[in-house]
Amino acid sequence: MSVNENSENMNVEQPPGDIVEEKKSTSPMKPVAIDPKRGPLKRTSFSKSNKVHSNFKSPGHVTKISKASLEEEVEDLERRQMQLDAEIAQLELEGYKVEELNDHIDMLHEYNDIKDIGQSLLGRLATLRGTTTRDLYSHFGLQLDD
């Protein structure tokens, strides 16, 4: 069977009572079928909600916020700032300094980098020896928490 014969067999005629016009579309998509009795076909939604047919609301649309709620939010933020300032003052009274905090953070980063390298080496060594890293921990006297 040739391609032409196959395409001819696929053409199906409409029954005489169902006259269907084709609406020309500007898009390269398939034309939309229009039934003269019912008008253009509409896509049915799978949702049982009536909101499907409501007007479009942009997700970027910001609802109006009352002036009172904004004032309350500002007051809450100011209270939170005062609490944090009090905590900072308390820590400074106890002898903590911001500069020390940065040094501690840098040392923690360095510690974590060294620990990651050690873990990687233990994993490679375990693979070469055909054992588990857990066994290597006990072999080298390391704690699993290390």
Short mmCIF file of all heavy atoms in Angstrom, two decimals, residues 46-95:
data_model
loop_
_atom_site.label_atom_id
_atom_site.label_comp_id
_atom_site.label_asym_id
_atom_site.label_seq_id
_atom_site.Cartn_x
_atom_site.Cartn_y
_atom_site.Cartn_z
N PHE A 46 -10.57 20.23 33.67
CA PHE A 46 -10.59 19.05 34.49
C PHE A 46 -10.92 19.39 35.93
O PHE A 46 -11.11 18.54 36.76
CB PHE A 46 -9.24 18.33 34.42
CG PHE A 46 -8.95 17.78 33.06
CD1 PHE A 46 -8.00 18.36 32.26
CD2 PHE A 46 -9.66 16.70 32.57
CE1 PHE A 46 -7.73 17.86 31.00
CE2 PHE A 46 -9.40 16.20 31.31
CZ PHE A 46 -8.44 16.78 30.53
N SER A 47 -10.94 20.66 36.25
CA SER A 47 -11.19 21.10 37.61
C SER A 47 -12.68 21.18 37.87
O SER A 47 -13.45 21.56 37.01
CB SER A 47 -10.56 22.48 37.82
OG SER A 47 -10.91 22.97 39.08
N LYS A 48 -13.07 20.84 39.09
CA LYS A 48 -14.48 20.97 39.47
C LYS A 48 -14.75 22.34 40.05
O LYS A 48 -15.87 22.66 40.39
CB LYS A 48 -14.83 19.88 40.49
CG LYS A 48 -14.77 18.49 39.90
CD LYS A 48 -15.12 17.45 40.90
CE LYS A 48 -15.01 16.07 40.27
NZ LYS A 48 -15.28 15.00 41.20
N SER A 49 -13.71 23.15 40.16
CA SER A 49 -13.83 24.47 40.74
C SER A 49 -14.42 25.44 39.72
O SER A 49 -14.12 25.39 38.53
CB SER A 49 -12.45 24.97 41.17
OG SER A 49 -12.53 26.32 41.55
N ASN A 50 -15.24 26.35 40.19
CA ASN A 50 -15.82 27.38 39.31
C ASN A 50 -14.81 28.48 39.02
O ASN A 50 -15.01 29.29 38.14
CB ASN A 50 -17.06 27.98 39.95
CG ASN A 50 -18.21 26.99 39.96
OD1 ASN A 50 -18.25 26.07 39.15
ND2 ASN A 50 -19.12 27.15 40.91
N LYS A 51 -13.70 28.52 39.76
CA LYS A 51 -12.71 29.56 39.57
C LYS A 51 -11.98 29.42 38.24
O LYS A 51 -11.30 30.32 37.80
CB LYS A 51 -11.70 29.53 40.71
CG LYS A 51 -12.28 29.95 42.03
CD LYS A 51 -11.23 29.97 43.10
CE LYS A 51 -11.83 30.43 44.41
NZ LYS A 51 -10.82 30.50 45.47
N VAL A 52 -12.11 28.28 37.59
CA VAL A 52 -11.44 28.05 36.32
C VAL A 52 -11.92 29.04 35.28
O VAL A 52 -11.16 29.51 34.44
CB VAL A 52 -11.67 26.60 35.83
CG1 VAL A 52 -11.15 26.40 34.43
CG2 VAL A 52 -11.04 25.62 36.79
N HIS A 53 -13.17 29.41 35.33
CA HIS A 53 -13.75 30.30 34.34
C HIS A 53 -13.76 31.76 34.79
O HIS A 53 -14.37 32.59 34.17
CB HIS A 53 -15.17 29.85 33.99
CG HIS A 53 -15.21 28.44 33.47
ND1 HIS A 53 -14.68 28.09 32.25
CD2 HIS A 53 -15.66 27.29 34.01
CE1 HIS A 53 -14.83 26.79 32.05
NE2 HIS A 53 -15.42 26.28 33.12
N SER A 54 -13.08 32.08 35.90
CA SER A 54 -13.03 33.46 36.38
C SER A 54 -11.98 34.23 35.60
O SER A 54 -11.19 33.67 34.85
CB SER A 54 -12.71 33.49 37.87
OG SER A 54 -11.41 33.00 38.10
N ASN A 55 -11.96 35.54 35.78
CA ASN A 55 -10.99 36.40 35.09
C ASN A 55 -9.58 36.07 35.54
O ASN A 55 -9.35 35.66 36.67
CB ASN A 55 -11.29 37.87 35.38
CG ASN A 55 -12.60 38.30 34.75
OD1 ASN A 55 -13.06 37.70 33.79
ND2 ASN A 55 -13.21 39.34 35.32
N PHE A 56 -8.63 36.30 34.64
CA PHE A 56 -7.23 36.03 34.93
C PHE A 56 -6.71 37.04 35.93
O PHE A 56 -6.96 38.22 35.83
CB PHE A 56 -6.41 36.12 33.64
CG PHE A 56 -4.94 35.99 33.87
CD1 PHE A 56 -4.38 34.76 34.13
CD2 PHE A 56 -4.12 37.11 33.84
CE1 PHE A 56 -3.02 34.63 34.35
CE2 PHE A 56 -2.78 36.99 34.06
CZ PHE A 56 -2.22 35.75 34.32
N LYS A 57 -5.98 36.53 36.93
CA LYS A 57 -5.34 37.41 37.90
C LYS A 57 -3.84 37.14 37.83
O LYS A 57 -3.40 36.01 37.99
CB LYS A 57 -5.86 37.12 39.30
CG LYS A 57 -7.31 37.48 39.47
CD LYS A 57 -7.81 37.14 40.84
CE LYS A 57 -9.30 37.42 40.92
NZ LYS A 57 -9.89 36.89 42.11
N SER A 58 -3.08 38.16 37.57
CA SER A 58 -1.65 38.03 37.45
C SER A 58 -1.04 37.63 38.78
O SER A 58 -1.41 38.17 39.82
CB SER A 58 -1.05 39.35 37.00
OG SER A 58 0.35 39.30 37.06
N PRO A 59 -0.10 36.67 38.79
CA PRO A 59 0.53 36.29 40.04
C PRO A 59 1.39 37.41 40.62
O PRO A 59 1.69 37.43 41.78
CB PRO A 59 1.39 35.08 39.68
CG PRO A 59 1.55 35.13 38.21
CD PRO A 59 0.37 35.88 37.67
N GLY A 60 1.77 38.35 39.79
CA GLY A 60 2.57 39.48 40.25
C GLY A 60 1.72 40.59 40.84
O GLY A 60 2.24 41.57 41.36
N HIS A 61 0.42 40.45 40.77
CA HIS A 61 -0.49 41.47 41.28
C HIS A 61 -0.41 41.51 42.79
O HIS A 61 -0.57 40.51 43.47
CB HIS A 61 -1.92 41.17 40.83
CG HIS A 61 -2.92 42.16 41.33
ND1 HIS A 61 -2.96 43.45 40.87
CD2 HIS A 61 -3.90 42.06 42.25
CE1 HIS A 61 -3.93 44.09 41.49
NE2 HIS A 61 -4.51 43.27 42.33
N VAL A 62 -0.16 42.69 43.33
CA VAL A 62 -0.06 42.85 44.77
C VAL A 62 -1.39 43.38 45.29
O VAL A 62 -1.93 44.35 44.77
CB VAL A 62 1.07 43.85 45.12
CG1 VAL A 62 1.16 44.06 46.61
CG2 VAL A 62 2.38 43.36 44.55
N THR A 63 -1.90 42.69 46.31
CA THR A 63 -3.14 43.16 46.90
C THR A 63 -2.85 44.38 47.77
O THR A 63 -1.75 44.54 48.29
CB THR A 63 -3.80 42.07 47.75
OG1 THR A 63 -2.86 41.65 48.75
CG2 THR A 63 -4.19 40.88 46.90
N LYS A 64 -3.84 45.21 47.94
CA LYS A 64 -3.66 46.41 48.73
C LYS A 64 -3.51 46.02 50.20
O LYS A 64 -4.28 45.24 50.73
CB LYS A 64 -4.86 47.34 48.56
CG LYS A 64 -4.95 47.94 47.18
CD LYS A 64 -6.09 48.91 47.08
CE LYS A 64 -6.17 49.49 45.68
NZ LYS A 64 -7.29 50.41 45.54
N ILE A 65 -2.48 46.58 50.82
CA ILE A 65 -2.22 46.33 52.23
C ILE A 65 -2.63 47.58 52.99
O ILE A 65 -2.28 48.69 52.61
CB ILE A 65 -0.73 46.02 52.47
CG1 ILE A 65 -0.32 44.80 51.65
CG2 ILE A 65 -0.44 45.83 53.93
CD1 ILE A 65 1.16 44.51 51.69
N SER A 66 -3.36 47.36 54.06
CA SER A 66 -3.85 48.51 54.80
C SER A 66 -2.69 49.22 55.50
O SER A 66 -1.67 48.62 55.83
CB SER A 66 -4.89 48.08 55.84
OG SER A 66 -4.26 47.34 56.86
N LYS A 67 -2.87 50.50 55.72
CA LYS A 67 -1.85 51.31 56.35
C LYS A 67 -1.61 50.83 57.78
O LYS A 67 -0.48 50.82 58.26
CB LYS A 67 -2.29 52.78 56.33
CG LYS A 67 -1.21 53.76 56.63
CD LYS A 67 -1.70 55.18 56.42
CE LYS A 67 -0.57 56.16 56.53
NZ LYS A 67 -1.00 57.53 56.29
N ALA A 68 -2.66 50.37 58.45
CA ALA A 68 -2.54 49.90 59.82
C ALA A 68 -1.66 48.65 59.90
O ALA A 68 -0.82 48.53 60.80
CB ALA A 68 -3.92 49.61 60.41
N SER A 69 -1.84 47.73 58.94
CA SER A 69 -1.04 46.51 58.97
C SER A 69 0.43 46.81 58.68
O SER A 69 1.32 46.16 59.24
CB SER A 69 -1.59 45.47 58.00
OG SER A 69 -1.44 45.90 56.67
N LEU A 70 0.70 47.79 57.82
CA LEU A 70 2.08 48.18 57.56
C LEU A 70 2.71 48.80 58.81
O LEU A 70 3.86 48.53 59.14
CB LEU A 70 2.15 49.17 56.40
CG LEU A 70 1.91 48.59 55.01
CD1 LEU A 70 1.92 49.70 53.95
CD2 LEU A 70 2.96 47.57 54.66
N GLU A 71 1.93 49.63 59.52
CA GLU A 71 2.44 50.25 60.75
C GLU A 71 2.72 49.18 61.80
O GLU A 71 3.72 49.26 62.52
CB GLU A 71 1.44 51.28 61.26
CG GLU A 71 1.36 52.52 60.38
CD GLU A 71 0.24 53.46 60.77
OE1 GLU A 71 -0.56 53.11 61.68
OE2 GLU A 71 0.14 54.54 60.17
N GLU A 72 1.86 48.18 61.90
CA GLU A 72 2.08 47.09 62.86
C GLU A 72 3.34 46.31 62.50
O GLU A 72 4.12 45.94 63.38
CB GLU A 72 0.88 46.13 62.87
CG GLU A 72 -0.37 46.70 63.49
CD GLU A 72 -1.57 45.77 63.32
OE1 GLU A 72 -1.41 44.67 62.76
OE2 GLU A 72 -2.66 46.17 63.74
N GLU A 73 3.56 46.06 61.22
CA GLU A 73 4.74 45.33 60.79
C GLU A 73 6.01 46.12 61.11
O GLU A 73 7.01 45.57 61.57
CB GLU A 73 4.66 45.04 59.29
CG GLU A 73 5.78 44.16 58.79
CD GLU A 73 5.65 43.79 57.32
OE1 GLU A 73 4.59 44.05 56.72
OE2 GLU A 73 6.63 43.25 56.78
N VAL A 74 5.98 47.45 60.90
CA VAL A 74 7.12 48.29 61.21
C VAL A 74 7.40 48.25 62.71
O VAL A 74 8.56 48.13 63.14
CB VAL A 74 6.89 49.74 60.72
CG1 VAL A 74 7.94 50.69 61.27
CG2 VAL A 74 6.88 49.79 59.20
N GLU A 75 6.35 48.32 63.51
CA GLU A 75 6.51 48.27 64.97
C GLU A 75 7.12 46.93 65.40
O GLU A 75 8.01 46.89 66.27
CB GLU A 75 5.17 48.49 65.68
CG GLU A 75 4.67 49.91 65.58
CD GLU A 75 3.26 50.06 66.15
OE1 GLU A 75 2.74 49.10 66.77
OE2 GLU A 75 2.68 51.16 66.00
N ASP A 76 6.67 45.83 64.80
CA ASP A 76 7.23 44.51 65.12
C ASP A 76 8.71 44.44 64.76
O ASP A 76 9.52 43.91 65.52
CB ASP A 76 6.47 43.41 64.38
CG ASP A 76 5.07 43.18 64.92
OD1 ASP A 76 4.80 43.61 66.07
OD2 ASP A 76 4.25 42.57 64.20
N LEU A 77 9.06 44.98 63.60
CA LEU A 77 10.46 44.97 63.17
C LEU A 77 11.33 45.83 64.10
O LEU A 77 12.46 45.46 64.42
CB LEU A 77 10.59 45.44 61.73
CG LEU A 77 10.04 44.49 60.66
CD1 LEU A 77 10.04 45.15 59.29
CD2 LEU A 77 10.84 43.20 60.63
N GLU A 78 10.79 46.97 64.53
CA GLU A 78 11.54 47.83 65.45
C GLU A 78 11.74 47.14 66.80
O GLU A 78 12.83 47.21 67.39
CB GLU A 78 10.83 49.17 65.63
CG GLU A 78 10.94 50.07 64.41
CD GLU A 78 10.10 51.34 64.52
OE1 GLU A 78 9.22 51.42 65.42
OE2 GLU A 78 10.31 52.24 63.70
N ARG A 79 10.70 46.43 67.29
CA ARG A 79 10.83 45.67 68.54
C ARG A 79 11.88 44.58 68.40
O ARG A 79 12.71 44.39 69.29
CB ARG A 79 9.49 45.04 68.94
CG ARG A 79 8.69 45.91 69.87
CD ARG A 79 7.47 45.18 70.41
NE ARG A 79 6.31 45.78 69.75
CZ ARG A 79 5.47 45.17 68.94
NH1 ARG A 79 5.60 43.90 68.70
NH2 ARG A 79 4.49 45.80 68.37
N ARG A 80 11.88 43.88 67.27
CA ARG A 80 12.85 42.81 67.02
C ARG A 80 14.27 43.38 66.96
O ARG A 80 15.20 42.79 67.49
CB ARG A 80 12.50 42.09 65.71
CG ARG A 80 13.44 40.99 65.34
CD ARG A 80 13.28 39.79 66.26
NE ARG A 80 14.19 38.75 65.82
CZ ARG A 80 14.91 37.99 66.63
NH1 ARG A 80 14.78 38.12 67.92
NH2 ARG A 80 15.72 37.09 66.16
N GLN A 81 14.43 44.54 66.34
CA GLN A 81 15.74 45.18 66.27
C GLN A 81 16.23 45.55 67.67
O GLN A 81 17.41 45.36 68.00
CB GLN A 81 15.69 46.42 65.38
CG GLN A 81 17.04 47.10 65.23
CD GLN A 81 17.02 48.31 64.33
OE1 GLN A 81 15.95 48.75 63.90
NE2 GLN A 81 18.17 48.88 64.06
N MET A 82 15.34 46.06 68.50
CA MET A 82 15.72 46.42 69.87
C MET A 82 16.14 45.17 70.65
O MET A 82 17.12 45.21 71.42
CB MET A 82 14.57 47.15 70.58
CG MET A 82 14.34 48.55 70.05
SD MET A 82 12.86 49.37 70.72
CE MET A 82 13.09 49.22 72.46
N GLN A 83 15.44 44.04 70.46
CA GLN A 83 15.81 42.80 71.14
C GLN A 83 17.19 42.34 70.70
O GLN A 83 18.02 41.93 71.53
CB GLN A 83 14.79 41.70 70.84
CG GLN A 83 13.45 41.87 71.51
CD GLN A 83 12.45 40.81 71.03
OE1 GLN A 83 12.65 40.17 70.00
NE2 GLN A 83 11.35 40.67 71.77
N LEU A 84 17.45 42.37 69.40
CA LEU A 84 18.74 41.94 68.88
C LEU A 84 19.87 42.86 69.37
O LEU A 84 20.96 42.39 69.72
CB LEU A 84 18.73 41.88 67.36
CG LEU A 84 17.85 40.78 66.75
CD1 LEU A 84 17.78 40.93 65.24
CD2 LEU A 84 18.38 39.41 67.13
N ASP A 85 19.61 44.16 69.41
CA ASP A 85 20.61 45.10 69.93
C ASP A 85 20.92 44.80 71.39
O ASP A 85 22.08 44.86 71.82
CB ASP A 85 20.15 46.54 69.75
CG ASP A 85 20.16 47.02 68.31
OD1 ASP A 85 20.88 46.38 67.49
OD2 ASP A 85 19.47 48.01 68.00
N ALA A 86 19.90 44.47 72.17
CA ALA A 86 20.10 44.13 73.58
C ALA A 86 20.92 42.85 73.71
O ALA A 86 21.81 42.76 74.58
CB ALA A 86 18.75 43.98 74.29
N GLU A 87 20.66 41.85 72.86
CA GLU A 87 21.43 40.60 72.90
C GLU A 87 22.89 40.86 72.53
O GLU A 87 23.80 40.31 73.15
CB GLU A 87 20.83 39.57 71.94
CG GLU A 87 19.52 38.98 72.41
CD GLU A 87 18.95 37.98 71.43
OE1 GLU A 87 19.72 37.34 70.68
OE2 GLU A 87 17.71 37.85 71.39
N ILE A 88 23.12 41.70 71.52
CA ILE A 88 24.49 42.04 71.13
C ILE A 88 25.21 42.75 72.27
O ILE A 88 26.37 42.43 72.59
CB ILE A 88 24.49 42.92 69.85
CG1 ILE A 88 24.03 42.10 68.64
CG2 ILE A 88 25.86 43.54 69.59
CD1 ILE A 88 23.76 42.91 67.39
N ALA A 89 24.54 43.69 72.92
CA ALA A 89 25.15 44.41 74.05
C ALA A 89 25.49 43.44 75.18
O ALA A 89 26.56 43.54 75.80
CB ALA A 89 24.20 45.51 74.54
N GLN A 90 24.61 42.49 75.46
CA GLN A 90 24.85 41.50 76.50
C GLN A 90 26.08 40.65 76.17
O GLN A 90 26.92 40.40 77.02
CB GLN A 90 23.62 40.60 76.68
CG GLN A 90 23.77 39.53 77.72
CD GLN A 90 23.97 40.10 79.13
OE1 GLN A 90 23.43 41.15 79.47
NE2 GLN A 90 24.75 39.40 79.94
N LEU A 91 26.18 40.20 74.92
CA LEU A 91 27.34 39.40 74.50
C LEU A 91 28.63 40.20 74.58
O LEU A 91 29.68 39.68 74.97
CB LEU A 91 27.13 38.86 73.08
CG LEU A 91 26.05 37.78 72.93
CD1 LEU A 91 25.79 37.49 71.47
CD2 LEU A 91 26.47 36.51 73.67
N GLU A 92 28.57 41.48 74.24
CA GLU A 92 29.77 42.33 74.35
C GLU A 92 30.17 42.52 75.80
O GLU A 92 31.37 42.55 76.12
CB GLU A 92 29.53 43.68 73.66
CG GLU A 92 29.51 43.57 72.14
CD GLU A 92 29.17 44.87 71.44
OE1 GLU A 92 28.64 45.82 72.11
OE2 GLU A 92 29.40 44.96 70.23
N LEU A 93 29.19 42.62 76.71
CA LEU A 93 29.50 42.71 78.14
C LEU A 93 30.17 41.44 78.64
O LEU A 93 30.98 41.48 79.57
CB LEU A 93 28.23 42.99 78.94
CG LEU A 93 27.66 44.40 78.87
CD1 LEU A 93 26.34 44.49 79.62
CD2 LEU A 93 28.66 45.40 79.44
N GLU A 94 29.82 40.30 78.05
CA GLU A 94 30.41 39.03 78.44
C GLU A 94 31.80 38.84 77.84
O GLU A 94 32.46 37.84 78.11
CB GLU A 94 29.49 37.87 78.03
CG GLU A 94 28.18 37.84 78.79
CD GLU A 94 27.22 36.77 78.29
OE1 GLU A 94 27.62 35.94 77.44
OE2 GLU A 94 26.07 36.77 78.74
N GLY A 95 32.25 39.77 77.02
CA GLY A 95 33.61 39.71 76.49
C GLY A 95 33.71 39.25 75.05
O GLY A 95 34.83 39.11 74.53
#
